[in-house]
Amino acid sequence: MYLQKMFSCSQFLARTNAMQTFIRAASQGKNPSSSPFLTLHAVRQWSNVPFFTVPLARAHGKSFAHRSELRQAKRIVVKLGSAVVTRGDECGLALGRLASIVEQVAVLQNQCREMMIVTSGAVAFGKQRLRHEILLSQSVRQALHSGQNQLKDMSLPVLEARACAAAGQSGLMALYEAMFTQYSTCTAQILVTNLDFHDDQKRRNLNSTLHELLRMNIVPIINTNDAVVPPPEPNSDLQGVNVISIKDNDSLAARLAVEMRADLLIALSDVEGLYDSPPGSDDAKLLDTFYPGDQHSITYGTKSRVGIGGMEAKVKAALWALQGGTSVVIANGTHPKVTGHVITDIVEGKKVGTFFSEVKPAGPTVEQQTEMARSAGRTLASLESEQRSDIICTLADLLTERKDEILSANKKDMEHAVSTGRLSPAMLKRLSLSSSKLNSLSIGLRQIAVSSQDSVGRVLRRTRVANKLELEQITVPIGVLLVIFESRPDCLPQVSALAIASGNALLLKGGKEAANTNRILHELAQEALSIHGVNDAIQLVSTREEVEDLCRLEKMIDLIIPRGSSQLVRDIQRAAKSIPVLGHSEGICHVYVDHEASVDKAIKIIRDSKCDYPAACNAMETLLVHRDLLRTPLFDQIIDMMRTEHVKIHAGPKFASYLTFSPSEVKSLRTEYGDLECCIEVVDSMLEAVDHIHKYGSSHTDVIVTENEDTAEQFLQQLDSACVFWNASSRFADGYRFGLGRCLFLFFSSTNLFKCFPFNLIMTLWCFVGAEVGISTARIHARGPVGLEGLLTTKWVLRGEGHTAADFSEQGSMTYLHENLPVAQVLPGRRTTS
């Protein structure tokens, strides 16, 4: 603690000496940079993070084209609007918001970025002080004149803004300095007026001062000198590329950002960003990105509750800065849920506020893609079931007809993945496609085409509510699905087929490691959709949108389905606060071998569960062995088989205690290896195995191997997992193997369906068909392998003849019947979908 105090003291003395040197040099008319202290030290310790005087990360002159590039911003101007700094009553400062903003600026400053603040608030702070002083003065004067302390009604005079600014400027700066001191960050105040930018000498002096402060890792806090500033001239906001009138802090921030060649200007106000119409209106949409040619597409509303600039002034200032080479983001600095990280989120490239860019993308934005998908998805849902099947069969044909193109694109992805070395062997296996894999996909898609025959519009329940009042519950699509997948290009056609079969619009976000393969597969999906004019129902997000940004489209996306690593699923579940997520974060599957297990079944099931496809989420990760099996031939055979299959074994704590020389002890019993590795642990009973799985499992798929039926049934009933198996491999937890869809009799009048299937499949009398979009461990909507049924919801359809609720009141003439009708019964004048 004593050393820490000495270190802080030395930091303070160093900072003080440097400032004194700087001020002394400046007062003598010398160039402060000529000070020996400033020129001889390449590395300075002005705060708890060393500051290196490094060159800018990029050559200035051109703004960033995309949000993701904002991470490279080194010199940043943060403009705090009056609505951000002041309280709602406009008398005093919003201290909580200000403290949060100061913390974010300090964090970025300690990342070796150069931060500048253009702040409002002096008038509000001064108004608070002057009101207090006037009230105190009036009360004292009244008490002296009346001879008593009873106060009469006192009216406050109108406070002149310049006087308020003069009274509040020092207090505002003292507050900033006190807050930044908590982060060992030094600040300096600079007051400017419009005249300072019109005088070349003053402008050069200002530029020199700001550069020197930044060199010393000091945060300049700049404000217009409202105590002496003249009223703004009307219609003098913009006067060309090189001149901008400083009539408010928006124009001041823009002018400073360009003068100082800043990489980024963050303008915080009390609105989320720029809307295409006044915020609050029914059709107002927040613009994620604004381009200089889009001014005609927006309508400005009223200005902020405080301050002298409105959104129009902010846009003009932002465009002027953008033209000068500085990127701009306008965002909300008052929202209590985002204020604590709005600045850092912007610098990290997240979708916050409105980003101004000069480079307009060639294709649609992800928001536009979602709207296109929703519109086309509604048309897709309205198609006849035979038409949707026809689309899927066409896609199945294209997978085999164009397999050379697909495999060529996949080869490029594989070569790039191998050269970079970023993917594990398991991930490379998922990325790889082959002719046999494409053939299997094609057969699977044809099976989905069959199962889609009665999926959408199927009547689940019919009720006669009253005479001539009939109620139906029917299946309908969920809406817009967002499927995010990693290293699994074969996922794209499979999920596309399920979306088409269920009448859902689909937004796909694949991993960049499979970019070439995903692109050709998406083209084939759209080609198949085009036969019925619904090309846009499936969209591939190829822009550089982060997953977290996609998860914020809660007004556009109805369900998110992640397909990838447990970390990906966890990240999506955390980011998608308002959108349901269907999936599981981990596949920690267990196989429990009971003391009454069959040797042959145990060996066969363990080998298949672990070695068939170790990267799958339904592969065994932990083998639980009954204690009585230790040192028996069955256990020895299990170990020998694992060695033969090159499975790396990790010993659980209890298993390790039985061994003199044990394998490496497991770091965690809650581990998904995704490779030829597994944990072995010992349990004393079936009930202990159930407790172990409940504690360390992920509620995915768990297996018991035993010949005792009572033990097996107890295991199946007590274990709370999405899939629970007896004497069967965990690899059966799959929509294709479950035959999701329904058991269908292959008798169709549509000749198109016969074209989809080879003769040997048509000859099969019964066929279990299906596929899955993933496995869900959730407890609502869908659980386990999720196929076609999991992509549907229901709606209620009521048909009456002028019925009203009043007809069924005590004075009414009708009574409720609530008769259950056969689902297959056809209502008069309506065809059945069954």
Side-chain angles (χ1 to χ4, degrees):
M1 180 63 72
Y2 178 71
L3 289 174
Q4 284 182 336
K5 289 182 178 179
M6 287 184 62
F7 183 68
S8 300
C9 183
S10 65
Q11 282 184 320
F12 176 77
L13 288 174
R15 189 182 297 117
T16 304
N17 290 337
M19 282 299 295
Q20 289 175 345
T21 304
F22 172 78
I23 295 170
R24 188 161 52 248
S27 64
Q28 294 173 358
K30 300 177 181 178
N31 183 355
S33 61
S34 62
S35 166
F37 183 86
L38 296 176
T39 55
L40 294 178
H41 292 73
V43 181
R44 305 174 181 80
Q45 184 77 34
W46 298 106
S47 65
N48 56 343
V49 176
F51 174 74
F52 296 83
T53 53
V54 295
L56 290 176
R58 67 187 182 101
H60 192 81
K62 191 174 183 180
S63 59
F64 295 120
H66 193 272
R67 281 184 183 269
S68 61
E69 298 173 353
L70 295 180
R71 297 186 183 96
Q72 304 172 26
K74 177 174 175 59
R75 184 169 292 171
I76 302 171
V77 176
V78 178
K79 182 264 174 181
L80 306 180
S82 300
V84 176
V85 177
T86 60
R87 298 198 310 246
D89 59 6
E90 303 177 24
C91 294
L93 303 180
L95 297 180
R97 285 201 295 265
L98 210 55
S100 174
I101 289 168
V102 165
E103 180 180 14
Q104 294 174 79
V105 171
V107 166
L108 294 173
Q109 181 82 358
N110 287 336
Q111 293 175 359
C112 295
R113 303 183 196 267
E114 298 173 345
M115 304 298 298
M116 292 178 279
I117 294 178
V118 176
T119 182
S120 302
V123 174
F125 197 58
K127 185 186 293 186
Q128 182 186 35
R129 292 182 62 182
L130 291 181
R131 286 183 62 177
H132 181 268
E133 291 298 326
I134 291 171
L135 285 172
L136 182 62
S137 175
Q138 286 183 347
S139 63
V140 171
R141 188 160 53 249
Q142 189 180 58
L144 291 175
H145 282 83
S146 63
Q148 57 186 2
N149 290 330
Q150 183 178 359
L151 300 179
K152 298 179 182 179
D153 292 337
M154 293 181 294
S155 59
L156 285 172
V158 177
L159 298 176
E160 208 273 331
R162 293 188 186 88
C164 292
Q169 198 65 250
S170 59
L172 177 66
M173 191 59 208
L175 182 63
Y176 273 118
E177 185 149 359
M179 288 181 172
F180 273 107
T181 299
Q182 303 302 312
Y183 303 97
S184 301
T185 302
C186 189
T187 59
Q189 181 185 30
I190 297 178
L191 297 176
V192 297
T193 65
N194 198 18
L195 297 176
D196 295 325
F197 290 92
H198 287 297
D199 186 297
D200 290 341
Q201 184 59 46
K202 288 183 178 180
R203 195 169 75 252
R204 283 195 295 269
N205 290 343
L206 174 63
N207 191 290
S208 175
T209 301
L210 287 171
H211 274 92
E212 197 57 42
L213 291 173
L214 294 176
R215 274 169 51 84
M216 294 188 294
N217 205 26
I218 295 170
V219 177
I221 298 179
I222 306 118
N223 195 1
T224 53
N225 191 354
D226 294 327
V228 299
V229 69
E233 298 178 11
N235 302 320
S236 63
D237 193 27
L238 296 175
Q239 301 174 7
V241 176
N242 298 318
V243 180
I244 181 171
S245 176
I246 307 301
K247 74 172 195 176
D248 54 36
N249 277 341
D250 294 312
S251 50
L252 170 61
R255 183 65 184 265
L256 274 172
V258 174
E259 288 276 346
M260 294 298 295
R261 303 174 69 188
D263 300 310
L264 174 62
L265 166 60
I266 300 175
L268 299 183
S269 183
D270 58 351
V271 292
E272 302 299 324
L274 186 60
Y275 289 80
D276 58 358
S277 56
S281 59
D282 292 337
D283 297 327
K285 292 182 180 179
L286 179 66
L287 301 177
D288 167 62
T289 307
F290 184 78
Y291 306 99
D294 291 347
Q295 294 97 315
H296 63 280
S297 64
I298 60 173
T299 304
Y300 297 107
T302 58
K303 68 174 186 177
S304 167
R305 61 176 173 82
V306 289
I308 62 174
M311 183 54 73
E312 187 172 7
K314 290 176 175 57
V315 172
K316 288 181 178 179
L319 291 174
W320 191 89
L322 187 67
Q323 191 176 1
T326 297
S327 296
V328 183
V329 175
I330 296 178
N332 192 340
T334 63
H335 198 293
K337 291 186 178 180
V338 299
T339 303
H341 44 79
V342 59
I343 298 174
T344 51
D345 278 356
I346 289 171
V347 176
E348 288 173 8
K350 295 181 181 178
K351 276 196 172 182
V352 180
T354 300
F355 171 67
F356 285 70
S357 174
E358 291 183 300
V359 181
K360 200 162 188 174
T365 65
V366 68
E367 290 84 2
Q368 292 170 334
Q369 284 185 290
T370 309
E371 290 178 356
M372 291 160 59
R374 183 180 292 279
S375 177
R378 287 171 177 152
T379 305
L380 175 67
S382 68
L383 295 177
E384 297 293 333
S385 57
E386 291 84 0
Q387 292 175 305
R388 288 193 295 271
S389 296
D390 195 21
I391 294 172
I392 299 171
C393 287
T394 302
L395 178 57
D397 291 338
L398 289 172
L399 288 179
T400 54
E401 291 171 5
R402 308 268 287 275
K403 67 180 179 181
D404 290 341
E405 293 178 51
I406 300 170
L407 295 177
S408 175
N410 186 246
K411 183 180 178 182
K412 292 178 182 177
D413 290 328
M414 288 293 296
E415 289 173 349
H416 183 263
V418 171
S419 65
T420 56
R422 294 176 182 174
L423 296 184
S424 65
M427 294 291 278
L428 284 172
K429 187 175 180 181
R430 289 186 178 187
L431 177 62
S432 175
L433 289 180
S434 62
S435 294
S436 60
K437 219 173 198 180
L438 291 176
N439 289 333
S440 298
L441 271 173
S442 181
I443 293 172
L445 263 57
R446 292 187 178 98
Q447 293 177 339
I448 295 172
V450 175
S451 66
S452 68
Q453 282 298 293
D454 64 343
S455 56
V456 181
R458 182 163 50 92
V459 180
L460 302 178
R461 182 185 303 178
R462 255 193 202 117
T463 305
R464 179 177 287 118
V465 179
N467 187 32
K468 295 185 178 180
L469 186 64
E470 309 286 351
L471 178 67
E472 284 183 346
Q473 184 185 20
I474 64 174
T475 58
V476 294
I478 289 175
V480 178
L481 312 178
L482 169 61
V483 177
I484 303 171
F485 55 99
E486 293 177 320
S487 301
R488 287 283 299 271
D490 57 328
C491 173
L492 193 152
Q494 187 185 48
V495 172
S496 297
L498 285 168
I500 295 166
S502 56
N504 284 288
L506 183 60
L507 203 63
L508 293 160
K509 173 65 173 175
K512 60 183 178 181
E513 64 278 354
N516 293 298
T517 314
N518 288 337
R519 185 167 54 253
I520 182 65
L521 290 173
H522 175 248
E523 289 174 3
L524 298 182
Q526 287 202 313
E527 185 176 333
L529 288 163
S530 68
I531 66 175
H532 289 295
V534 285
N535 315 43
D536 294 334
I538 296 178
Q539 298 285 330
L540 179 65
V541 180
S542 55
T543 56
R544 289 181 286 184
E545 252 70 27
E546 298 291 341
V547 169
E548 187 172 343
D549 294 329
L550 293 172
C551 292
R552 292 178 180 175
L553 301 176
E554 68 275 358
K555 294 182 180 179
M556 300 180 175
I557 295 170
D558 300 299
L559 180 67
I560 300 176
I561 304 173
R563 298 290 305 271
S565 66
S566 58
Q567 185 60 50
L568 171 72
V569 180
R570 281 194 297 269
D571 290 343
I572 291 172
Q573 289 173 334
R574 185 166 49 250
K577 298 176 182 177
S578 304
I579 309 176
V581 177
L582 191 152
H584 63 283
S585 59
E586 293 172 308
I588 305 174
C589 302
H590 295 73
V591 173
Y592 165 59
V593 182
D594 189 54
H595 66 289
E596 296 181 79
S598 159
V599 175
D600 292 338
K601 290 179 184 177
I603 297 295
K604 189 177 179 182
I605 289 169
I606 293 169
R607 176 187 284 112
D608 189 73
S609 296
K610 179 72 261 186
C611 306
D612 177 61
Y613 190 8
C617 63
N618 57 12
M620 181 193 77
E621 303 294 359
T622 298
L623 174 64
L624 299 177
V625 179
H626 193 284
R627 181 185 58 186
D628 294 347
L629 292 179
L630 294 178
R631 299 184 179 88
T632 65
L634 171 57
F635 183 74
D636 292 340
Q637 289 181 51
I638 291 173
I639 297 300
D640 289 342
M641 180 272 294
M642 288 191 167
R643 285 174 178 165
T644 303
E645 297 290 345
H646 305 289
V647 178
K648 183 178 180 180
I649 297 173
H650 302 275
K654 287 186 68 175
F655 180 44
S657 67
Y658 285 99
L659 304 174
T660 305
F661 300 101
S662 69
S664 61
E665 190 166 338
V666 68
K667 295 180 180 178
S668 170
L669 289 168
R670 194 179 286 111
T671 301
E672 182 178 16
Y673 299 100
D675 207 342
L676 284 173
E677 294 182 66
C678 76
C679 167
I680 297 180
E681 183 57 313
V682 175
V683 292
D684 294 338
S685 65
M686 180 272 296
L687 293 177
E688 187 177 331
V690 170
D691 291 339
H692 178 102
I693 295 170
H694 283 160
K695 185 174 182 179
Y696 299 109
S698 61
S699 301
H700 192 295
T701 301
D702 300 290
V703 177
I704 182 172
V705 184
T706 184
E707 296 302 300
N708 188 312
E709 185 175 352
D710 292 337
T711 302
E713 289 300 327
Q714 195 175 359
F715 181 89
L716 298 178
Q717 294 299 320
Q718 292 193 10
L719 193 60
D720 187 21
S721 295
C723 300
V724 189
F725 300 161
W726 172 26
N727 286 347
S729 167
S730 62
R731 293 281 290 126
F732 278 104
D734 178 84
Y736 177 79
R737 297 183 177 102
F738 275 17
L740 290 187
R742 282 158 302 283
C743 184
L744 298 174
F745 186 67
L746 289 183
F747 180 76
F748 303 104
S749 60
S750 171
T751 56
N752 289 333
L753 289 172
F754 283 100
K755 294 177 182 177
C756 289
F757 288 88
F759 179 75
N760 61 328
L761 284 180
I762 296 176
M763 292 301 294
T764 305
L765 184 63
W766 294 91
C767 180
F768 287 91
V769 296
E772 68 176 33
V773 292
I775 293 181
S776 172
T777 55
R779 299 181 183 276
I780 57 174
H781 175 61
R783 198 175 190 210
V786 180
L788 204 56
E789 297 291 338
L791 300 182
L792 297 170
T793 184
T794 64
K795 72 178 179 182
W796 297 90
V797 178
L798 185 65
R799 294 179 175 87
E801 293 187 4
H803 293 75
T804 66
D807 293 336
F808 298 87
S809 65
E810 292 182 2
Q811 294 78 27
S813 59
M814 302 194 73
T815 58
Y816 289 110
L817 299 177
H818 292 139
E819 294 178 6
N820 290 327
L821 300 177
V823 169
Q825 178 177 327
V826 182
L827 294 175
R830 183 175 181 272
R831 69 177 180 85
T832 181
T833 56
S834 298

